Amino acid sequence: MEEKTWHRHRWPAGVARHLDFPEKPVPALLEETAKTHGALPYLVFQGRHLSFAEVDRRANQVAHFLRAAGVAKGDRVALSMPNIPQFPIVYFGILKAGAVAVPCNPLYKERELRFLLTDSGAKVLFVMDHPEFYPIACQAAADTGITQLVYCSVGPYLPRIKAVIGGLLGKIPTAAHHPLGTSLESAITGRPTSPLEREIDPKQDPAIIIYTGGTTGVPKGAVLTHYNLVSNVIAVDEWVRLVHTPGGQPERFRRNGFHTMMGVVPWSHVYGHTHVMLVAPFIEARLICLPDPRAGKPPFTELLEAIEHYHGTILHGVPTLFTVLLHHPHIDRFHLDSLIGCASAAAALPVELALQFEARTGCTVFEAYGMTEAAPLVTANPSIKDLRKLGSVGLPIPGTDLKILDSETGTRELAQGEDGEIAVSGPQVMQGYWKKPEEDAVVFRVFDGQRFFLTGDVGHIDQDGFIFITDRKKDMIDVGGLKAYPREIEEVLYMHPKVAQAAVIGVADEKSGQVVKAFVQLTPGVTASDEEIIDFCRDKLAGYKRPRMVEFREQLPMSPVGKILRRALRDPRP
């Protein structure tokens, strides 16, 4: 790759512009650290530590269980869990067996989860043993290709005293009954702890299928290979330079257990999956499992306690997380000066918010930009304050190329400074959408033999090579970093017998960034209330997707061909 504009001006000293990414499978990220620093803690949950070696052994047992259950190379295995210790154990076990992991949001309702299980063709489903998650999983798995359901209780992963007391007091969340499936402990007890033999082609073999709404809002599975994920982890390690001690010089991540990463971003989301769950073993960091970062009174108190107690050094989040922490009523009670680096992604980071959070904690906050289809990181601001440009999403990371194309056809490259659709090329870009070649044809372009992915985002490159996002081509709604897609929500609204026409948009919200607003045109001669429409969505959509407000209209704005114009609802000016 030739020298680009972003290499010439503020590229950090010592950071490679291009890398020869190794072709190795994702489990190697864990296995290599388990061999060299196996005794170091990887996962920390409620005070209990699980070492890299222990997680690796249990993941091997999961792999043996799957092989015995008839899971072959390339078969899909779904896991629907919050950030609990079993997530990485099961995840690495799936990949060690040569299978493909399908991470699912544990907040999904039956209809949403069933779609993912059916579309992916998953054969096995791992779910948290929980009063809500387990029954939903049982219902969703019915009449799909799921042949094994495995439920995972947090009890065995608690310190002994907490497990005993929690069991006596009934505080450990479990389903009341388990009519289907088997427990994870029963599934892996007695299984070998040695690794299975496997043949994986990192560049060709998928590691995960992770679902995204893409450009249309219909959930599509982005197929990410082992090479996609490993290259993104290595590029992050090369890019980030942090000042680890007061007055020190920026340096790459320190090893040998120096860092403590806060597991806030869901690991079922590509952001938390790659840059928290996978980066941690690569840099030999311990990872604090936080299944519910909102926990505590007031909310997020337990997260602040965890940062202070475990001396957290790395915090990944979305802008709303930094907002709620900064304005937490008791923040002055907590010592947060252990934080060194805080990354923000998934939504635009207000400049003033970044500066205020840095002033309060002493850490460096840097914004990044990516997408599910790119595993996910594409660009990031330098983590060295003198080089960054707050308000931009930074520079393309090592090994990544980027073009600005005309938004109409995506075939013509625009001049520097012009706004157009952002297209990205690099080792992290997905193989394609799961069983959707027609979608691949829409989103990929080839320039001089190099394949570029059309992101659907509009922006430009400034004179120093920094990327600025100026608009969203997609109609996606960003609710606290979680993506809600209008078409999916509208389809649920259309199920209501009184709804004739419906459209949803995102509206600004101080706490979540955006919330969903529904516009409804009722069937002639009927009446309905806001509450009736919202309640109808309650058991059909995850909480963040549900409309928070409803506006009834006699007619919705239409194009000449009868398409509802969401842009006219967002901006009603003539």
Side-chain angles (χ1 to χ4, degrees), residues 359-402:
R360 177 61 185 79
T361 63
C363 72
T364 299
V365 179
F366 50 97
E367 185 172 7
Y369 164 69
M371 62 219 63
T372 303
E373 293 90 341
L377 193 61
V378 173
T379 72
N381 249 298
S383 50
I384 302 169
K385 291 183 179 180
D386 292 343
L387 298 178
R388 68 186 180 180
K389 279 192 181 183
L390 291 174
S392 83
V393 292
L395 308 173
I397 60 173
T400 299
D401 197 3
L402 189 144

Side-chain angles (χ1 to χ4, degrees), residues 487-509:
R487 180 172 172 180
E488 181 185 12
I489 302 167
E490 290 161 3
E491 286 179 353
V492 171
L493 291 171
Y494 277 109
M495 295 178 187
H496 194 294
K498 295 182 180 180
V499 172
Q501 301 280 357
V504 302
I505 64 170
V507 296
D509 178 76

Side-chain angles (χ1 to χ4, degrees), residues 42-44 79 81-88 91 103-104 210 261-274 276-278 287-291:
Y42 173 20
L43 305 176
V44 181
L79 61 165
M81 290 181 273
N83 294 3
I84 58 176
Q86 291 97 326
F87 194 115
Y91 170 83
C104 304
I210 191 160
M261 302 184 72
M262 308 307 298
V264 178
V265 184
W267 301 333
S268 58
H269 187 285
V270 69
Y271 178 20
H273 166 272
T274 304
V276 182
M277 190 182 75
L278 295 186
L287 176 54
I288 311 303
C289 301
L290 296 165

Side-chain angles (χ1 to χ4, degrees), residues 265 271 300 303 307 314-328 331 339 341-345 349-350 353-354 356-358 361 363-367:
V265 184
Y271 178 20
F300 294 95
L303 170 57
I307 294 172
I314 306 294
L315 174 64
H316 284 269
V318 297
T320 51
L321 174 70
F322 298 107
T323 298
V324 297
L325 294 184
L326 193 62
H327 295 95
H328 191 282
I331 190 170
L339 288 173
C342 294
S344 177
L349 175 67
L353 172 60
Q356 289 178 8
F357 197 83
E358 287 182 342
T361 63
C363 72
T364 299
V365 179
F366 50 97
E367 185 172 7

